[in-house]
């Protein structure tokens, strides 16, 4: 519930302007609630219409993406790019290819990206894009033709100093390669810093693939240490999803001494009491692009259950790394009743607002996505730096920088929560810490 009248007025306007866009409204409401802590001390924001400008994208692009499938049939998808805020740097944010992609989903992700990118301390504005195209079950040729068609429109909106896309759900190394190839062909220019998540042979950064999942664990490790004097050592962990973020969160949590006992995909989940065999998951998901149900053929003692029951599995640390609104109040109640101590968001907005409130009431440590999963975009920022410098850092060098950034983000969010009078509330802390830098830049740049 937003109480401040200025913030309320802004939120009412957002609702009126974006009817039915439930994900976007959910993200805006959560952020505006956090601003209660600062808004009265900053009357200049209202005078400058700052929050009204902050919640309205600078530009929103929607376009047709026609392509021809393997049967010769013409398919039409919808493409999007939101360029939300460029106050502190060029727009930066991933591309998502999934049938659930809509204007609302892209706007919620782009809006959150502004604060996340600011938290990294690197000069990156907020953007996001994607399409309702579903790469699942498509041939390589179909994915390539789709990516080429998508980029044939997107190329005119991107550039290393304008807007720098990357991957997200459904967009991994294969898709980034096809997108980059088409962009290079249209522009007749090898502009490395225009896309991140590139392959190592054409300007990618070591450790970018691992960065989001590793970063989630570095953030969680610092949170456990500073807020509970604890660590991953000996903890049982459940991770939803089995894509890029989930896989490398599983790897790092295991390296830090935890046992991951369950992972999922959109059809069901696997439970392995002996600890997930990550090589099996990587083979199923990265090599074969198959379903997680195949895991039991690699590990006969493991169990597969269809459906969404993963949050009923007992754990100390729950890490949703799949998609938005994955954990509702019922799931939250199960996680709490099973005695978990922490909820760490690897995916974007994986917890509904009511479920977040449940976790906070129950006193669990809560690591919000904007802060906890910022390691991916931070390392994309490091990829851009290497492209500008025309050199490549070692894996260890990038990983060490990533770790420093994640530790720094935890402390910024924590310190901001103290300044806002709600010590340990990292939701408020991350929103406020990310926002103050953007707000300062927007104030300095006048009414634009
Ligand atoms: P991937 O496409 O690699 O993996 C997504 C995983 O989530 C898959 O296991 C997928 O299962 C599952 N999933 C997707 N949609 C649903 C759904 N509706 N219900 C249940 N499971 C679902 O994506 P990423 O790992 O890259 O992204 C995961 C999350 O992390 C997203 O929220 C993304 O925005 C966020 N994120 C990603 C970053 C990155 O660097 N990649 C950076 C920061 C945040 P299936 O295969 O069955 O579809």
């Amino acid at each position: 519930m937003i109480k401040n009248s200025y913030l309320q007025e802004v939120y009412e306007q957002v609702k009126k302007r974006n009817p039915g866009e439930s994900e976007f409204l959910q993200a805006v409401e959560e952020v505006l609630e956090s601003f209660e802590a600062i808004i009265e001390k900053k009357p200049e924001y209202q005078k400058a219409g700052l929050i009204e400008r902050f919640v309205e994208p600078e530009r929103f692009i929607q376009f047709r993406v026609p392509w021809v499938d393997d049967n010769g049939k013409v398919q039409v998808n919808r493409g999007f790019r939101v360029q939300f805020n460029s106050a502190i740097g060029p727009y930066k944010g991933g591309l998502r290819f999934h049938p659930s992609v809509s204007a609302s989903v892209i706007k919620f992700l782009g809006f959150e990206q502004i604060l996340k990118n600011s938290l990294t301390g690197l000069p990156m504005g907020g953007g996001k894009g994607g399409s309702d195209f579903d790469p699942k079950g498509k041939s390589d040729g179909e994915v390539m033709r789709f990516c080429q068609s998508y980029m044939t429109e997107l190329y005119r909106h991107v550039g290393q100093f304008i807007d720098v896309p990357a991957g997200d759900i459904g967009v991994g190394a294969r898709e980034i390669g096809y997108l980059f190839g088409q962009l290079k062909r249209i522009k007749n220019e090898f502009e490395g810093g225009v896309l991140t998540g590139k392959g190592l042979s054409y300007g990618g950064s070591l450790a970018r693939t691992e960065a989001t999942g590793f970063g989630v664990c570095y953030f969680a490790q610092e949170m456990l240490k500073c807020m509970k004097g604890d660590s991953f050592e000996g903890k049982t962990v459940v991770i939803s999803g089995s894509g890029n973020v989930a896989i490398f969160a599983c790897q790092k949590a295991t390296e830090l001494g935890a046992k991951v006992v369950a992972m999922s995909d959109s059809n069901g989940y696997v439970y392995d009491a002996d600890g997930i065999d990550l090589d099996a998951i990587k083979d199923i998901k990265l090599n074969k692009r198959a379903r997680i149900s195949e895991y039991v053929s690699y590990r006969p003692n493991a169990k597969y259950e269809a459906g969404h029951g993963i949050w009923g599995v007992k754990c100390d640390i729950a890490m949703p790394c799949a998609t938005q609104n994955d954990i509702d109040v019922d799931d939250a109640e199960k996680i709490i009743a099973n005695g978990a101590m922490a909820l760490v968001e690897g995916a974007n907005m994986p917890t509904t607002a009511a479920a977040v409130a449940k976790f906070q009431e129950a006193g669990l440590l809560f690591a919000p996505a904007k802060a906890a999963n910022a390691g991916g975009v931070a390392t994309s920022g490091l990829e851009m730096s290497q492209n500008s410098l025309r050199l490549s850092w070692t894996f260890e060098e990038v990983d060490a920088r990533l770790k420093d950034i994640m530790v720094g983000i935890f402390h910024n969010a924590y310190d901001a929560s103290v300044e806002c009078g709600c010590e340990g509330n990292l939701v408020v802390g991350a929103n406020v810490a990310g926002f103050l830098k953007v707000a300062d830049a927007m104030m300095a740049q006048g009414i634009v």
Side-chain angles (χ1 to χ4, degrees), residues 1-2 11 23-36 111-112 115 345 349-353 356 360 366 368-370 426-428 430-431:
M1 266 287 284
I2 299 169
Y11 186 56
E23 295 88 356
F24 179 49
L25 296 177
Q26 182 182 341
V28 171
E29 188 174 20
E30 182 218 271
V31 167
L32 295 188
E33 273 172 14
S34 302
F35 292 173
E36 304 262 13
F111 181 67
E112 300 237 298
L115 300 172
E345 294 190 324
M349 207 167 75
T351 319
T352 65
V356 176
Q360 289 175 330
F366 189 89
K370 266 179 219 96
L426 300 177
V427 174
V428 171
N431 285 337

Side-chain angles (χ1 to χ4, degrees), residues 230-243:
D230 212 329
S231 75
F232 270 107
E233 193 63 48
K235 301 290 183 299
T236 301
V237 175
V238 166
I239 297 178
S240 67
S242 48

